[in-house]
């Protein structure tokens, strides 16, 4: 109570100086309260967009040292004006909850459990299987005309992905590998 | 998309969410916007504060209804009757905006004398082949329109997304008009006859909507029309997920064209799409039937033998699709780079030809029949989200290998160890050979890239932190997978690998993980001149001679110079948001906005001005970027053989259409008719009161088979109630992004079904206790929520109950529940192959379902009852 000396620290004197007669304002603060700061006070802020629905609310991502601190609405967005719905407001938990996958899981034939495998090995295994399937099922032509496709493997997904990601998927899978069976959540 | 695409020229929302604040009336139907697009709904509230009337039509009284001025109930599946009733009202009460209709739509165009409407043929249009179950639309063309040799858009196997959603079957720039609209064969008169029986009485009888409420809605919305007033329509999957979805949207398009609301502030049709970038995922498509920018994929059956043939099939002589050759050649140059030359038709032969139904349901049924080796699933969860979950999951068990990429272990990834099929002994892990890979994926804060939202706005999200552990973006995954596969192709030079060897696959990367730079990819999407790799500033700079490359022509202009990523701009300077993000095309925020001025180029009124002709400067100007040639005078008349945009007159705003008009009547492009007609859902307690010979949409495909069964006939007594599915605010789609999170799980912890007090009394259902719901496909249990927000309806003289169920729950996550979509059938609407989730039939009883194999036994017992 007397931190900072009698003249500075005595609540009664502080009250008199600031006319806070009910002592419910800053004069009632303890030193601990005075030292409190918002979680994101020294964080960097990056502008982002909500990953949930099609409204496309602006989000501000507060982070520090490669850790997320909080995700808030962006007041500057002409669409959302700083608001987020319950889902958007929970984007921090979406990124940080305990159930988040961090390693590659692999289920071998007839196995009853997952095992963890290294990422690079998983990539090699997937590429091998794609190549083998494609080789066996590829049709180059029919009746003298180009077909250039494989129907032996397919892709599903896109509405939650970035445009750049969808672009690369379609470019590689269709333009490069000849996969026709490509679909996502969109119909209409 | 074909609903909006055929009507106006582009398959996308015509306006921005903020513009709703300018509406005088807003009709929300096929959507509970307050619950499912909550932050967007603030603009509806703003409109109401500005004096607008808000109307909500929905089987349930929801939080959207609570904020509306008028709510009306309707029987799920009868939207076309309701909307047809509104059209009928506008026509019989002389409410249309005549000047707009006469100049800007094809209401005046005269049809062929051999065209026959559903009213004349008892439920089908002329040209129906009952055996093939498809239409020959020759008789639908305009009088005088030449039918093209190739008929794009009407292929058996296409999926409805391609640019052929606008009548390239004919050259619709040739037509005869009757400006008086009195000729019995003009579109206007045909329209009147077509909707003549959609009276308020009929609406009440079939939709269950009280007539006085219906009339109040009709009057309120129709009054938001004319020079001084506009009205907007908002819809979501409540309109699309039907066996006639595009036709429901067509009704809204017709209504808005009659009322003169398209292309005007406070008007338009706002398609409310459900995912962060579902619009983007059709613009730059991971879909089987199109290439980026809505260019069609080559179809083996025709128009794919060479590039010239392909271009001829798909370009139109007038309007912006005249430049089809520039768009396709530039795309091929982007994909195949230096190896794409005139000599090899820029690599056109390397694109895979479509030979069948390669859509999700097409290939999933092949998967179920053991015809597929492998599947990638990225950021989607079909084990919960797709219809007929049992079939979906059992099909996964037929794969040799499955690769799932997601942030959590979704139900799709764990089908082999934890699913109803494992519980019921239908899948036995120790006997199951399927290999499964589950890759951890980066979240949006851990990568940079663009999403395209519901109003065509492309917004760049910036990476804040690195993804944890081995989690990576899809860019990383595809890029490095592609490098491995290209290495294999480099050692195997057979013709099949020509495309893969030619594929341009060098993007700048950063960081220890060699993450590809998303802006590099976005620049390729924007386009550049090949010789100097200089970025282009828009699609008008694209050429057909191989000198330009462009990954997606409708996005061209988004990155016009180095360092200028327009999708990442964050400084809006007007209410439309210019300066924040980039809307395609060319940053036009309200499409077809030439409509906001009268034929002479002056705004219809000061109150509703948006773009107009500046006589002093001799150019178009305004609050929005004109969706229009800036220099074209209002009185411009094209020469008879003028091409491309030069072929569009100065008072014809719908520049993607060859005739420049909004299409009240769609001359070709929709497989099930040029006008919307009511059909019952594929499963209904009622037959079609309009056309008893055709209960359901004759062109829809049930994909009926032993593992995808249907009720045995309309009014099957085993399943007497209507079932509808929908969403909750606190959960998101199939639950992978919400049921796994503590806060959202706490807000909506358990699956429930909603029933009216009357239904609860009849079926002995108790609030808070359990109920079991069955359909021919599946059996689920849910808690019972008895509420007067559900209401029984009187239809065709008898009472019908609707059961409502949200569909988010599954067997993984912090909160779990039965998979509701197990109840649905796989079915394909004829144009876009969408399933029917909004209206089917079910039975319901009190109590929990049997567990394990017992559940299947209970379902079998139900199916063995007398129908």
């Amino acid at each position: 109570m007397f931190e900072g000396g009698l003249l500075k620290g005595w609540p009664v004197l502080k009250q008199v100086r600031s006319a806070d007669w009910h002592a419910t304002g800053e004069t009632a603060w303890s030193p601990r309260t005075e030292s409190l700061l918002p979680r994101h006070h020294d964080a960097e802020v990056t502008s982002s967009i909500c990953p949930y629905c099609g409204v496309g609310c602006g989000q501000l991502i507060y982070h520090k040292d490669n850790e997320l601190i909080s995700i808030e609405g962006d007041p500057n967005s002409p669409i959302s004006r700083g608001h987020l719905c319950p889902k958007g407001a929970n984007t921090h938990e979406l990124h940080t909850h305990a159930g988040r996958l961090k390693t590659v899981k692999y289920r071998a034939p007839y196995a009853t459990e997952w095992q963890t495998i290294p990422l690079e090995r998983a990539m090699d295994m997937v590429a091998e299987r794609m190549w083998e399937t494609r080789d066996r099922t590829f049709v180059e032509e029919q009746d003298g005309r180009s077909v250039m496709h494989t129907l032996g493997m397919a892709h599903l997904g896109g509405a939650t992905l970035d445009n750049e990601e969808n672009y690369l998927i379609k470019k590689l899978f269709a333009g490069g590998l000849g996969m026709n069976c490509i679909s996502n959540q969109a119909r209409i | 998309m074909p609903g909006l695409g055929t009507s106006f020229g582009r398959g996308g929302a015509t306006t921005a969410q903020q513009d709703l604040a300018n509406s005088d009336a807003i009709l929300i139907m096929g959507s509970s916007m307050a619950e499912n697009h909550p932050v967007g709904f603030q603009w509806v509230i703003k409109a109401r504060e500005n004096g607008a009337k808000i109307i909500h039509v929905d089987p349930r009284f929801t939080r959207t209804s609570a904020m509306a001025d008028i709510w009306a109930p309707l029987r799920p599946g009868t939207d076309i009757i309701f909307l047809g009733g509104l059209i009928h009202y506008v026509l019989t009460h002389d409410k249309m905006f005549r000047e707009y209709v006469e100049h800007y739509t094809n209401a005046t165009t005269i049809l062929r004398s051999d065209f026959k409407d559903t009213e004349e043929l008892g439920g089908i249009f002329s040209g129906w082949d009952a055996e093939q179950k498809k239409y020959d639309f020759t008789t639908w063309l305009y009088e005088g329109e030449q039918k093209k040799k190739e008929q794009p858009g009407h292929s058996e196997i296409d999926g409805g997304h391609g640019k052929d959603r606008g009548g390239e079957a004919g050259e619709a720039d040739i037509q005869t008009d009757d400006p008086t609209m009195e000729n019995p064969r003009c579109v206007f008169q045909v329209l009147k006859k077509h909707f003549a029986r959609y009276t308020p009485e009929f609406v009440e009888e079939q939709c269950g909507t009280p007539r006085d409420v219906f009339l109040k809605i009709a009057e309120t919305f129709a009054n938001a029309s004319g020079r001084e007033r506009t009205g907007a329509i908002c819809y979501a999957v409540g309109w699309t997920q039907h066996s006639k979805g595009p036709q429901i949207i067509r009704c809204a398009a017709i209504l808005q064209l009659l009322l003169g609301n398209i292309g005007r502030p406070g008007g338009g049709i706002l398609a409310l799409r459900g995912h962060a970038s579902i619009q983007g995922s059709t613009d730059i498509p991971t879909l089987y039937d199109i290439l980026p920018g809505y260019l069609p994929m080559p179809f083996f059956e025709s128009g794919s033998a060479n590039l010239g043939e392909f271009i001829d099939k798909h370009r139109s002589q007038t309007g912006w699709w005249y430049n089809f050759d520039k768009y396709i050649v530039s795309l091929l140059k982007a994909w195949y780079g230096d190896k794409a030359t005139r000599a090899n038709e820029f690599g056109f032969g390397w694109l895979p030809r479509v030979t069948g139904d390669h859509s999700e349901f097409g290939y999933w049924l092949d998967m179920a029949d053991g015809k597929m080796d492998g599947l990638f699933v990225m950021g989607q969860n079909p084990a919960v989200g797709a219809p007929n979950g049992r079939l979906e999951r059992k099909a996964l068990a037929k794969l040799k290998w499955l690769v799932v990429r997601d942030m959590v272990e979704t139900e799709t990834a764990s089908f082999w160890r934890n699913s109803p099929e494992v519980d019921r002994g239908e899948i036995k892990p120790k006997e199951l050979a399927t290999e499964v890979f589950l890759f951890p994926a980066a979240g949006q804060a851990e990568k940079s890239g663009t999403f395209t939202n519901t109003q065509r706005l492309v917004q760049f999200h910036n990476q804040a932190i690195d993804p944890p552990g081995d989690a990576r973006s899809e860019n990383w995954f595809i890029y490095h997978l592609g490098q491995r596969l290209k290495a294999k192709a480099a050692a195997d030079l057979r013709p099949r690998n020509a495309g893969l060897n030619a594929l341009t696959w060098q993007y700048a990367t950063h960081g220890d993980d060699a993450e590809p730079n998303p802006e590099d990819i976005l620049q390729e999407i924007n386009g550049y001149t090949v010789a100097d790799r200089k970025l282009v500033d828009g699609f008008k700079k694209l050429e057909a001679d191989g000198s330009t490359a462009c990954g997606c022509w409708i996005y061209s202009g988004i990155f016009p110079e180095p360092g200028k990523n327009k999708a990442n701009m964050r400084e809006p300077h007007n209410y439309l948001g210019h300066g924040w993000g980039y809307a395609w095309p060319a940053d036009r925020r309200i499409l077809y906005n030439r409509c906001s001025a009268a034929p002479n180029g002056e705004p219809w009124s000061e109150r509703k001005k948006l773009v107009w002709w500046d006589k002093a400067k001799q150019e178009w100007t305004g609050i929005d970027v004109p969706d229009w040639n800036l220099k074209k005078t209002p009185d411009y008349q094209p020469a008879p053989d003028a091409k491309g945009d030069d072929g569009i007159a100065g008072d014809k705003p719908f520049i993607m259409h060859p005739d420049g008009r909004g299409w009240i009547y769609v001359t070709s492009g929709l497989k099930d008719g040029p006008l919307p007609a009511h059909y019952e859902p594929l499963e209904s307690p009622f037959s079609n009161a309009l056309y008893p010979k055709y209960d359901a949409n004759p062109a829809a495909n049930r994909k009926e088979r032993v593992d995808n069964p249907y009720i045995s006939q309309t009014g099957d007594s085993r399943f007497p109630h209507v079932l509808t599915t929908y969403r909750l605010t606190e959960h998101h789609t199939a639950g992978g992004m919400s049921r796994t999170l503590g806060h959202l799980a706490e807000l909506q912890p358990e699956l429930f079904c909603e029933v009216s007090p009357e239904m609860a009394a009849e079926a002995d259902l108790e609030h808070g206790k359990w109920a079991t719901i069955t359909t021919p496909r599946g059996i689920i249990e849910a808690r019972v929520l008895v509420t007067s927000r559900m209401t029984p309806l009187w239809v065709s003289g008898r009472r019908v109950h609707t059961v409502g169920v949200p569909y988010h729950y599954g067997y993984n996550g912090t909160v779990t529940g039965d998979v509701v979509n197990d109840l649905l059938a796989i079915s394909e609407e004829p144009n876009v192959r969408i399933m029917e989730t909004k209206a089917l039939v079910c039975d319901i009883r009190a109590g929990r379902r049997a567990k394990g194999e017992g559940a299947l036994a209970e379902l079998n017992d139900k199916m063995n009852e007398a129908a």
Side-chain angles (χ1 to χ4, degrees):
Chain A
M1 155 165 129
F2 292 113
E3 198 166 297
L6 197 67
L7 281 173
K8 263 182 125 176
W10 195 11
V12 171
L13 286 184
K14 284 202 279 189
Q15 276 181 260
V16 168
R17 268 203 304 274
S18 62
D20 177 19
W21 306 118
H22 295 284
T24 52
E26 285 182 31
T27 59
W29 285 6
S30 68
R32 181 181 171 274
T33 302
E34 269 189 35
S35 70
L36 289 178
L37 293 162
R39 294 180 278 178
H40 58 356
H41 77 280
D42 62 347
E44 284 177 63
V45 59
T46 299
S47 76
S48 186
I49 303 294
C50 182
Y52 283 95
C53 85
V55 170
C57 297
Q59 286 186 333
L60 294 176
I61 303 182
Y62 292 90
H63 58 101
K64 190 178 167 200
D65 299 330
N66 207 37
E67 249 189 70
L68 287 182
I69 294 171
S70 94
I71 298 182
E72 312 290 337
D74 188 342
N76 281 328
S77 163
I79 298 171
S80 60
R81 301 197 295 176
H83 300 287
L84 292 174
C85 81
K87 300 183 292 296
N90 211 199
T91 307
H92 181 273
E93 198 179 1
L94 176 72
H95 285 78
T96 57
H97 74 106
R100 208 67 217 252
L101 297 170
K102 294 175 186 169
T103 54
V104 182
K105 304 261 189 278
Y106 171 68
R107 186 252 176 189
Y110 314 111
T112 54
E113 299 291 333
W114 292 111
Q115 51 177 285
T116 300
I117 60 173
L119 177 60
E120 294 296 317
R121 176 157 166 250
M123 297 291 285
D124 289 336
M125 289 168 80
V126 171
E128 270 161 37
R129 280 144 188 75
M130 286 186 87
W131 196 251
E132 196 270 326
T133 292
R134 179 171 177 269
D135 208 55
R136 206 174 2 90
T137 60
F138 202 86
V139 177
E140 277 178 15
E141 61 158 41
Q142 194 184 305
D143 308 331
R145 283 186 289 135
S146 247
V147 178
M148 292 299 269
H149 77 190
T150 167
L151 302 181
M153 52 189 181
H155 167 83
L156 186 71
T160 62
L161 309 184
D162 295 342
N163 290 316
E164 293 77 6
E165 295 174 325
N166 282 314
Y167 180 74
L168 289 189
I169 293 169
K170 181 79 175 181
K171 183 179 179 183
L172 177 67
F173 281 9
L177 298 172
M179 285 167 66
N180 272 131
C181 301
I182 296 177
S183 191
N184 66 35
Q185 294 88 332
R187 288 289 173 283
I188 178 175
Chain B
M1 285 164 31
L4 299 176
T6 51
S7 306
F8 311 128
R10 301 177 184 104
T14 72
T15 184
Q17 292 169 90
Q18 315 88 285
D19 191 55
L20 290 173
N22 293 321
S23 302
D24 297 293
I26 301 175
L27 169 64
I28 302 170
M29 194 170 163
S31 154
S32 182
M33 192 178 175
E35 295 176 333
N36 304 120
H37 294 85
V39 177
F41 192 73
Q42 68 182 284
W43 300 108
V44 175
I45 300 288
K46 201 114 201 11
R48 209 178 70 166
E49 286 168 1
N50 290 340
K53 291 283 179 252
I54 312 303
I55 303 160
H56 186 221
V57 182
D58 198 294
R60 303 179 301 135
F61 187 91
T62 70
R63 286 179 265 180
T64 306
S65 326
M67 294 286 109
D69 294 288
I70 313 169
W71 165 75
L74 96 164
R75 174 166 67 95
T78 61
D79 304 76
I80 292 179
I81 296 182
F82 193 100
L83 294 167
L86 293 180
I87 292 169
H88 177 269
Y89 178 91
V90 168
L91 295 172
T92 52
H93 288 72
D94 200 27
K95 293 288 188 183
M96 75 174 180
F97 186 177
R98 172 130 198 155
E99 217 183 323
Y100 181 110
V101 172
E102 197 186 311
H103 290 274
Y104 297 165
T105 77
N106 67 355
T108 53
T109 306
I110 296 182
L111 302 175
R112 289 162 61 124
S113 53
D114 55 357
F115 168 72
K116 297 267 178 281
D117 183 70
T118 50
E119 289 292 282
E120 298 166 85
L121 297 180
I124 45 170
F125 295 96
S126 46
W128 178 246
D129 181 334
E131 216 183 274
Q132 299 277 316
K133 293 186 127 216
K134 53 188 270 211
Y135 280 103
D136 172 350
F137 51 83
T138 309
T139 58
W140 304 354
L141 298 174
Y142 293 156
E143 186 180 74
E145 192 179 348
Q146 300 307 308
K147 185 175 176 186
K148 283 165 81 162
K149 186 168 73 76
E150 301 289 355
Q151 284 110 53
H154 285 266
S155 166
E156 184 68 33
I157 55 181
D158 89 295
H161 299 99
K163 62 159 293 296
D164 312 296
R165 304 289 87 188
E168 289 68 29
E171 290 291 356
D173 54 329
I174 299 156
Q175 74 267 53
T176 20
D177 283 290
D178 170 18
T180 70
M181 298 198 271
E182 277 165 23
N183 185 311
R185 284 191 290 117
C186 78
V187 166
F188 183 71
Q189 294 298 334
V190 169
L191 183 79
K192 277 174 82 168
K193 282 207 217 80
H194 181 82
F195 284 109
R197 291 196 285 152
Y198 291 71
T199 60
E201 291 70 36
F202 190 65
V203 170
E204 183 174 63
E205 181 198 291
Q206 293 301 316
C207 304
T209 313
R211 196 167 52 133
D212 58 333
V213 181
F214 170 76
L215 283 168
K216 180 139 185 268
I217 289 174
E219 185 186 33
T220 305
F221 195 71
N223 282 344
S225 168
R227 284 176 173 263
E228 298 284 343
R229 297 165 66 77
T230 54
I233 294 180
C234 301
Y235 77 87
V237 295
W239 269 4
T240 65
Q241 291 182 354
H242 289 270
S243 48
K244 63 245 183 189
Q247 295 291 359
I248 298 175
I249 294 151
R250 280 275 302 133
C251 287
I254 292 170
L255 188 60
Q256 290 294 63
L257 284 173
L258 289 175
L259 293 173
N261 280 329
I262 299 296
R264 303 181 61 203
I269 297 180
L270 189 56
L272 293 167
R273 307 200 72 171
H275 296 70
S277 201
I278 192 166
Q279 179 67 48
S281 74
T282 49
D283 300 337
I284 300 181
T286 30
L287 293 171
Y288 82 99
D289 58 331
I290 45 173
L291 292 165
Y294 298 99
L295 308 179
M297 284 285 284
F299 278 51
F300 180 76
E301 64 185 21
S302 72
S304 64
N306 56 62
L307 183 60
E309 196 178 284
F310 184 68
I311 289 170
D312 278 339
K313 180 177 176 183
H314 293 295
R315 92 193 302 180
S316 48
Q317 294 303 304
T318 51
W320 278 92
W321 282 117
Y322 178 67
N323 300 312
F324 183 86
D325 54 346
K326 301 180 180 175
Y327 311 146
I328 182 68
V329 171
S330 297
L331 172 65
L332 291 169
K333 280 302 281 184
W335 281 13
Y336 300 123
D338 295 334
K339 300 273 183 21
T341 64
R342 259 193 219 283
N344 62 21
E345 300 198 314
F346 303 105
F348 176 68
W350 301 327
L351 294 175
R353 270 57 178 153
V354 175
T355 56
D357 176 5
H358 306 313
S359 74
E360 178 180 346
F361 302 142
Y363 73 68
W364 217 278
L365 292 172
D366 281 346
M367 202 191 311
D369 295 338
K371 294 183 189 159
M372 300 202 85
D373 269 21
L375 174 71
F376 288 86
V377 181
M378 303 187 197
Q380 192 164 343
N381 191 10
V384 169
N388 197 339
R390 183 175 170 206
L391 189 159
E392 299 281 329
R393 295 182 297 265
K394 286 170 76 169
L396 293 173
K398 296 283 183 66
L399 291 169
K400 283 192 162 156
W401 49 268
L402 168 68
V403 178
V404 176
R405 289 188 49 83
D406 216 299
M407 294 171 81
V408 296
E409 183 181 347
T410 58
E411 286 79 359
T412 302
S414 67
F415 81 93
W416 54 274
R417 70 183 188 94
N418 174 29
S419 63
E421 286 62 45
V422 170
D423 284 344
R424 296 168 187 175
E426 293 198 285
I427 291 178
K428 302 182 169 66
K430 291 191 179 156
E431 296 171 23
L432 180 68
T434 311
E435 278 186 302
V436 185
F437 295 83
L438 176 56
F439 283 80
Q444 129 268 359
E446 298 157 353
K447 56 184 181 176
S448 293
T450 55
F451 290 143
T452 305
N453 81 347
T454 197
Q455 63 206 57
R456 295 164 288 101
L457 185 69
V458 189
Q459 303 181 98
F460 194 87
H461 59 87
N462 294 278
Q463 180 176 3
I465 59 169
D466 295 324
D470 284 341
R472 298 283 184 277
S473 66
E474 314 314 300
N475 277 336
W476 185 96
F477 177 77
I478 293 293
Y479 182 62
H480 291 283
L481 185 64
Q483 300 222 306
R484 284 166 166 80
L485 293 166
K486 274 181 73 74
K488 292 187 197 291
D492 177 353
L493 299 177
R494 284 177 291 165
R496 62 179 56 191
N497 293 324
L500 188 52
N501 275 316
L503 206 71
T504 61
W505 203 248
Q506 278 296 113
Y507 298 100
T509 63
H510 62 269
D512 298 330
D513 300 329
E515 169 79 14
N517 285 359
E519 285 196 325
D520 239 39
I521 303 167
L522 189 56
Q523 289 186 1
E524 179 174 316
I525 289 169
N526 174 83
Y528 54 90
T529 42
V530 173
D532 55 6
R533 303 287 305 207
K534 203 158 163 268
L535 295 165
V536 298
D537 66 5
F539 54 78
K540 293 184 198 157
K541 298 285 170 61
L542 300 178
E543 299 295 345
D545 59 3
S547 62
T548 56
C550 176
C552 180
W553 75 276
I554 56 175
Y555 280 37
S556 188
I558 198 171
F559 215 130
E561 48 188 88
K564 196 157 180 206
N565 179 351
K566 288 192 167 179
N568 209 7
M569 298 196 309
R570 290 294 203 270
E571 277 158 42
H573 58 257
N574 62 26
Y575 88 93
L576 288 171
H578 288 111
W580 178 288
Y582 180 87
W584 73 264
D587 214 16
R588 299 162 194 176
R589 303 288 166 128
I590 296 180
L591 294 179
Y592 323 113
N593 53 27
R594 165 71 180 89
C595 290
S596 63
N600 67 3
E602 288 170 18
W604 291 109
S605 64
E606 185 63 24
R607 184 168 184 263
K608 295 288 175 179
K609 69 180 190 190
L610 186 63
V611 306
W612 55 88
W613 175 250
D614 183 330
K615 281 204 197 95
K617 293 197 181 139
Q618 286 288 296
E619 69 177 22
W620 286 85
T621 184
I623 302 165
D624 194 6
V625 175
D627 186 14
W628 186 249
N629 179 337
L630 293 180
K631 294 293 190 189
K632 186 178 286 186
T633 62
D635 57 1
Y636 170 76
Q637 285 301 320
D641 60 347
K643 299 289 182 210
D645 188 55
D646 291 342
I648 305 285
D651 65 346
K652 295 290 173 274
F654 294 88
I655 56 178
M656 301 305 293
H657 278 164
D659 57 0
R661 295 157 198 246
W663 287 359
I664 287 175
Y665 170 102
V666 168
T667 152
S668 78
L670 288 175
K671 293 200 183 112
D672 49 353
L675 290 171
H678 171 71
Y679 297 107
E680 287 289 314
L682 297 175
E683 291 185 326
S684 173
F686 300 96
S687 44
N688 187 349
L690 264 182
Y691 305 122
K693 267 182 77 184
Y694 300 95
D695 274 345
N697 187 349
N701 188 341
R702 290 166 184 251
K703 299 281 193 192
E704 196 162 5
R705 34 188 273 169
V706 167
D707 50 3
N708 191 43
Y710 281 77
I711 60 175
S712 35
Q713 77 272 341
T714 297
D716 187 327
S717 61
R718 298 171 296 174
F719 306 102
H721 312 298
V722 173
L723 178 75
T724 191
T725 64
Y726 45 83
R727 293 152 197 255
L728 304 170
T729 310
E730 295 78 10
H731 281 309
H732 188 57
T733 60
M737 289 166 76
S738 66
R739 276 185 295 104
T740 45
L741 309 185
H743 293 111
L744 297 176
E746 186 177 346
L747 289 171
Q748 289 284 13
E750 206 161 6
L751 173 62
F752 57 90
C753 62
E754 296 189 274
V755 297
S756 67
E758 294 87 344
M759 179 170 205
E762 263 179 44
D764 256 339
L765 304 170
E766 258 186 85
H767 181 82
K769 298 254 168 35
W770 289 92
T772 293
I773 301 171
T774 46
T775 68
R777 276 79 45 189
I779 174 169
I780 63 160
E781 60 182 14
R783 294 284 189 179
V784 176
L785 198 168
V786 179
T787 170
S788 56
R789 294 182 295 97
M790 297 298 282
T791 173
L793 296 174
W794 284 93
V795 175
S796 284
R798 58 188 168 100
R799 196 162 79 162
V800 65
H801 292 297
T802 300
V803 179
V805 208
Y807 84 102
H808 306 287
Y809 294 84
Y811 39 90
N812 287 354
T814 305
V815 291
T816 59
D818 276 358
V819 178
V820 170
N821 283 359
D822 285 6
L823 299 175
L824 307 177
I826 290 176
S827 65
E828 289 187 349
E829 179 277 340
N831 295 291
V832 291
R833 307 184 188 275
I834 197 166
M835 63 286 176
E836 190 150 62
T837 71
K838 292 294 170 178
L840 53 153
V841 295
C842 72
D843 193 19
I844 188 169
R845 64 158 177 84
R848 305 194 68 159
R849 63 166 169 79
K851 297 282 175 277
E853 284 170 16
L856 291 181
E858 186 178 342
L859 184 58
N860 282 335
D861 286 345
K862 166 56 79 181
M863 290 305 281
N864 286 334
E865 283 174 22

